[in-house]
Amino acid sequence: MAHLETLPRRRGPPPLQQNRARPDEGGRSTRLTLDQSRSRCLNSERTLILGGGISGLACALRLAGAGRKVTLVEGSDRLGGLGAFFEHEGRTFEKFYHCMLPSDGPLLALLDSLGLTPEIYWKPSTFAYAGAGRIFPLNTPLDLLRFAPLPFADRIRVGLTGLWGRLCSDKGLDDLSTVDWLTRLSGRRAFETFWKPMLEAKFGDRHQDVPALWFWTRFNREKGESKGEVKGYIRGGYKRIIERAAERLRELGVEIRLGESIQSADLDENGSPFVITARGREDAARLLITLPWPGLAQVTGPRLRQAAQVPDWGIDFQGVVNHLLFLKRPLTPHYWLATPESQFPFDGVVETSALTDESDRGTGRHVVYLTKYLHRDDPRFAQPAEEIHRPWFAALQRLFPDLAESDVEAAHTFRAPYVEPVYTRGFLKRRPPEVLVPGKVFLATTAQVYPVVTSWNGSVIQAGRTVDAMLL
């Protein structure tokens, strides 16, 4: 069995030699060369987009489609962000699992505009909960009534909590903690047994301050689905989406530059935006930033930081570790199996084989993600792949005693330090605005998606908000 480990890397080519004037003793350029003057004229109406994840791609498609001149700069050697993929035996697989919901209207509309709708397919999906040494399906009212870890009365209260969560207004929920809200609705015992382990799995000891609005959006994400409990995937995987988006951008005249790390973003003495990348200085009429919020906070220069109308630069993010197993046998019929008990080193078992065709994953191959949300400063985040595999696989065998090491074709470990904000009560007041500097610097990141669920669909929604602000 092969063990491979991939860490996110930001790399760029060596700095290019620029035809620049020498600075004077005050650090100001004493003259502009003819080439520089021409460059600044050419860039006077250009929008420079930083980041080539789904947010950057969606913004670029909207702006270029509106006739704007766009350059997109990505620090890694591939587009896609958390939709990044890798190759295994002639096929591509996502490093971090993805799926679509029928309610993901903005994302599905974007895919339709790229001509990809005929390539999307849908399959029924189910959820289960591992507790008290058993696996309990939780997809129907009858399933909940059979959920043995809770007394019967608590099962009724949990069911009513879910029903009320779909019916109630979200008013005031941003200022109320999920802990208080769910305890009030389900009771202390049901909260401690059922809800709290899932909150701790997602946010660790920071779960106490997560706003109820965050949880309410999860109750309502799939409300009113005409297709029922189904999830979607696309033939060829998310690589297909990324490549088709890049193809369309080039058709629209967008310049895409990869492997060009962002070193700083700031305003010059006249208040115009510029960026320092691995290639040198870049000036643009408008700057649109889609970098993860902690990364942006690190590269923002003093003038931009002072001018930007940001309520809180200190928004922190959770990271994730995914241990991906290629198996020679199916593991579970459920797409998602929650494993919130402390005996499990991972939060959930995601069998994407339940959603994908063999034509996408290979005949007889089953793809399982073991996932754990961790802060990037947690020592477990940086554990070597082999140190992750041994205890994680042993814990998986406790759930599935007939699973053998010989059933594993290959294992891979992937990590992402910035996946989702650590939400706190009143997060709407901390949420960064779409416009950082009016008419000049704009923002579209996952720190703004709230209260929409953090997903590709949420990022497309946020991209639309930001571009709307730019086109006013």
Side-chain angles (χ1 to χ4, degrees), residues 10 72 111 117-118 121 128 138 204 226 233 248 253 282 306 328-329 334 350 353 380 385 393 447 464:
R10 310 286 293 188
L72 188 150
L111 301 186
T117 297
Y121 57 93
L138 281 177
S226 60
Y233 195 66
R248 175 63 61 82
E282 294 280 341
Q306 183 176 12
K328 303 171 186 176
R329 46 153 286 185
H334 306 291
V350 184
S353 315
R380 293 171 294 175
F393 192 76

Side-chain angles (χ1 to χ4, degrees), residues 97-390:
Y97 58 91
H98 292 278
C99 69
M100 306 168 206
L101 296 182
S103 59
D104 290 345
L107 173 61
L108 295 174
L110 175 65
L111 301 186
D112 189 61
S113 73
L114 295 173
L116 295 176
T117 297
E119 301 175 39
I120 300 170
Y121 57 93
W122 303 90
K123 292 192 177 185
S125 68
T126 57
F127 169 81
Y129 187 107
R134 294 172 55 189
I135 294 175
F136 297 90
L138 281 177
N139 303 286
T140 68
L142 186 58
D143 287 340
L144 182 57
L145 291 177
R146 293 170 174 166
F147 188 66
L150 287 176
F152 187 80
D154 287 351
R155 300 173 208 173
I156 299 296
R157 290 195 69 173
V158 167
L160 292 174
T161 298
L163 178 61
W164 177 245
R166 288 173 173 254
L167 296 175
C168 72
S169 166
D170 63 349
K171 185 177 180 180
L173 293 183
D174 184 51
D175 296 313
L176 177 67
S177 75
T178 296
V179 172
D180 290 342
W181 189 54
L182 292 178
T183 300
R184 181 187 308 166
L185 294 173
S186 295
R188 173 63 61 183
R189 183 173 54 192
F191 173 79
E192 294 288 337
T193 303
F194 187 75
W195 299 115
K196 182 179 178 180
M198 290 191 284
L199 279 173
E200 288 182 324
K202 181 79 171 178
F203 294 105
D205 58 6
R206 304 185 186 197
H207 75 278
Q208 294 279 357
D209 205 33
V210 173
L213 182 58
W214 175 86
F215 210 86
W216 180 88
T217 59
R218 273 103 192 121
F219 276 133
N220 287 276
R221 188 181 180 194
E222 299 184 43
K223 181 165 65 175
E225 293 303 342
S226 60
K227 295 179 183 292
E229 295 289 334
V230 300
K231 291 181 172 62
Y233 195 66
I234 185 166
R235 302 203 181 280
Y238 274 55
K239 175 187 178 183
R240 174 72 177 126
I241 301 174
I242 296 164
E243 291 184 340
R244 180 65 189 110
E247 180 183 348
R248 175 63 61 82
L249 288 174
R250 292 188 175 100
E251 291 170 355
L252 292 170
V254 174
E255 179 188 12
I256 300 175
R257 303 201 316 239
L258 303 178
E260 189 171 336
S261 59
I262 310 301
Q263 298 172 5
S264 67
D266 208 350
L267 304 176
D268 64 19
E269 59 273 15
N270 298 315
S272 298
F274 71 92
V275 173
I276 304 297
T277 75
R279 286 177 47 161
R281 174 167 169 155
E282 294 280 341
D283 297 278
R286 286 168 296 277
L287 182 62
L288 199 170
I289 303 171
T290 71
L291 305 176
W293 184 254
L296 168 62
Q298 292 172 8
V299 303
T300 302
R303 287 196 182 101
L304 177 54
R305 184 177 285 265
Q306 183 176 12
Q309 302 170 19
V310 172
D312 186 358
W313 285 97
I315 296 172
D316 203 0
F317 268 59
Q318 282 285 76
V320 72
V321 177
N322 272 357
H323 190 55
L324 188 157
L325 301 174
F326 289 118
L327 300 180
K328 303 171 186 176
R329 46 153 286 185
L331 195 61
T332 169
H334 306 291
Y335 171 71
W336 180 275
L337 171 61
T339 55
E341 293 182 346
S342 58
Q343 64 169 307
F344 299 111
F346 41 81
D347 304 328
V349 179
V350 184
E351 177 137 3
T352 59
S353 315
L355 299 184
T356 59
D357 288 343
E358 282 193 333
S359 59
D360 283 316
R361 66 179 189 269
T363 303
R365 176 179 292 133
H366 300 269
V367 185
V368 173
Y369 294 79
L370 307 179
T371 185
K372 179 65 180 177
Y373 286 93
L374 289 169
H375 193 272
R376 59 195 176 278
D377 293 336
D378 190 305
R380 293 171 294 175
F381 186 81
Q383 277 184 309
E386 187 59 38
E387 291 183 17
I388 288 175
H389 178 78
R390 286 194 301 268

Side-chain angles (χ1 to χ4, degrees), residues 55 77 89 107 250 295 406:
S55 295
D77 58 1
E89 294 194 352
L107 173 61
R250 292 188 175 100
S406 59

